[in-house]
Amino acid sequence: MRIYRVLLVEDEAESAEIVIRHLTRFNFYVDHVTDGRLANHSVRRRRYDLILCDIMMPQFDGFMFLESSAAYITSIPVIMVTALHDRETVLRSAQLHAGNFLVKPVTQDTLLDRVLSALVLKPSDLLLRKDFPFSVLTAGRGEGRLRIRIDGCPDAKAREAVEQLLRHEALVAPPPANRDVTLDVQASLALDQNYMQFLEFVVQEIMRVFGVRARHVELCGSLFENFVGPELTEHPTLGQCTLRFAE
């Protein structure tokens, strides 16, 4: 499956909440920042499939962001989200290679139409997060290594499910039997907006239950296909793990 990563640059909380609510029902992960400077920082550290950018923002507006970030966003489609749609705005946006517009107030149908068009997707490419229930299971064990597979979107009982599995494995092979642990994490985990915090919780539980250090936890799976270094290092525990990119 494919999770599309979207950068939303919007200083109005209500407008941002509408966009996030509509998109995260589907296979979109939304990073939200409130001004152009933060957006500039984000595009230097992460890969995005799409940028939704407000124009009118205090201090560092949407146009300033596009101008200052040009070298990093040349291949990323940009949709300007704005209450303005006059000739000057259209011309300046076009000069900055941002010819797509989404006029406020934003509705779900219009938002999805614009996003699908910008990403050259069909409605059939949309996946509902509710169709990907969470699962965690033992995928292999032996020779001092335990392999755990995580799939689907975490729900209210996901942490409890992880705790139960780890307790069971500790009974099957008491510490220090499992000296190394591989976490095979599927891309569907990113359907949850807080998936990195959840993943850090899983690693911390592995360390606690099996008495291993973070460097003995290997992260692999389709979740990490589009990762860049800073995404893990921003989370203290995950940054110490070994990352093996999906083949």
Side-chain angles (χ1 to χ4, degrees):
M1 70 178 302
R2 175 71 188 275
I3 307 292
Y4 298 93
R5 190 155 199 166
V6 178
L7 176 62
L8 173 61
V9 191
E10 173 61 76
D11 65 317
E12 295 180 4
E14 183 176 350
S15 295
E17 194 276 331
I18 291 172
V19 172
I20 293 169
R21 183 175 72 246
H22 288 336
L23 289 185
T24 56
R25 292 179 58 237
F26 303 98
N27 45 322
F28 298 101
Y29 180 88
V30 181
D31 274 342
H32 173 220
V33 295
T34 55
D35 64 48
R37 284 193 177 89
L38 292 173
N40 183 278
H41 178 74
S42 295
V43 297
R44 292 168 184 263
R45 297 175 65 83
R46 294 182 176 87
R47 298 189 184 102
Y48 290 100
D49 298 293
L50 176 68
I51 296 172
L52 295 171
C53 184
D54 188 20
I55 294 179
M56 301 300 292
M57 292 180 289
Q59 297 181 351
F60 207 92
D61 66 22
F63 290 136
M64 295 170 69
F65 159 63
L66 295 180
E67 290 170 345
S68 65
S69 306
Y72 299 93
I73 64 175
T74 52
S75 62
I76 305 173
V78 178
I79 299 175
M80 305 305 286
V81 185
T82 179
L84 302 174
H85 203 188
D86 55 46
R87 185 173 183 273
E88 182 181 348
T89 300
V90 172
L91 289 175
R92 190 173 180 191
S93 298
Q95 291 171 352
L96 294 170
H97 307 288
N100 293 317
F101 286 88
L102 187 60
V103 180
K104 298 178 182 179
V106 176
T107 66
Q108 176 175 298
D109 289 344
T110 303
L111 173 64
L112 289 177
D113 284 345
R114 292 289 191 279
V115 168
L116 290 176
S117 177
L119 291 172
V120 196
L121 299 176
K122 303 182 295 295
S124 58
D125 293 316
L126 293 176
L127 304 174
L128 283 168
R129 58 182 291 183
K130 68 181 182 62
D131 292 336
F132 293 84
F134 178 78
S135 68
V136 56
L137 54 85
T138 300
R141 62 168 76 92
E143 299 183 356
R145 178 174 289 277
L146 177 68
R147 187 181 185 92
I148 296 172
R149 180 182 172 94
I150 294 178
D151 201 351
C153 186
D155 55 20
K157 297 183 178 180
R159 294 194 175 210
E160 181 181 349
V162 170
E163 292 169 347
Q164 289 179 350
L165 177 71
L166 296 182
R167 285 198 298 267
H168 171 75
E169 290 300 330
L171 289 174
V172 171
N178 294 310
R179 298 183 300 275
D180 299 283
V181 179
T182 295
L183 275 181
D184 182 357
V185 189
Q186 302 308 297
S188 53
L189 187 76
L191 288 168
D192 184 86
Q193 285 294 110
N194 298 309
Y195 78 94
M196 292 295 282
Q197 290 87 338
F198 179 82
L199 190 57
E200 186 154 72
F201 157 78
V202 175
V203 172
Q204 289 171 347
E205 281 299 293
I206 288 171
M207 296 167 61
R208 183 183 66 82
V209 173
F210 299 125
V212 299
R213 295 186 178 182
R215 67 172 180 269
H216 292 285
V217 179
E218 179 186 68
L219 304 175
C220 68
S222 60
L223 175 70
F224 305 104
E225 288 179 354
N226 296 311
F227 262 49
V228 293
E231 294 194 61
L232 288 181
T233 57
E234 289 174 359
H235 300 267
T237 305
L238 295 179
Q240 300 175 54
C241 297
T242 301
L243 177 62
R244 177 164 63 84
F245 289 99
E247 300 176 357

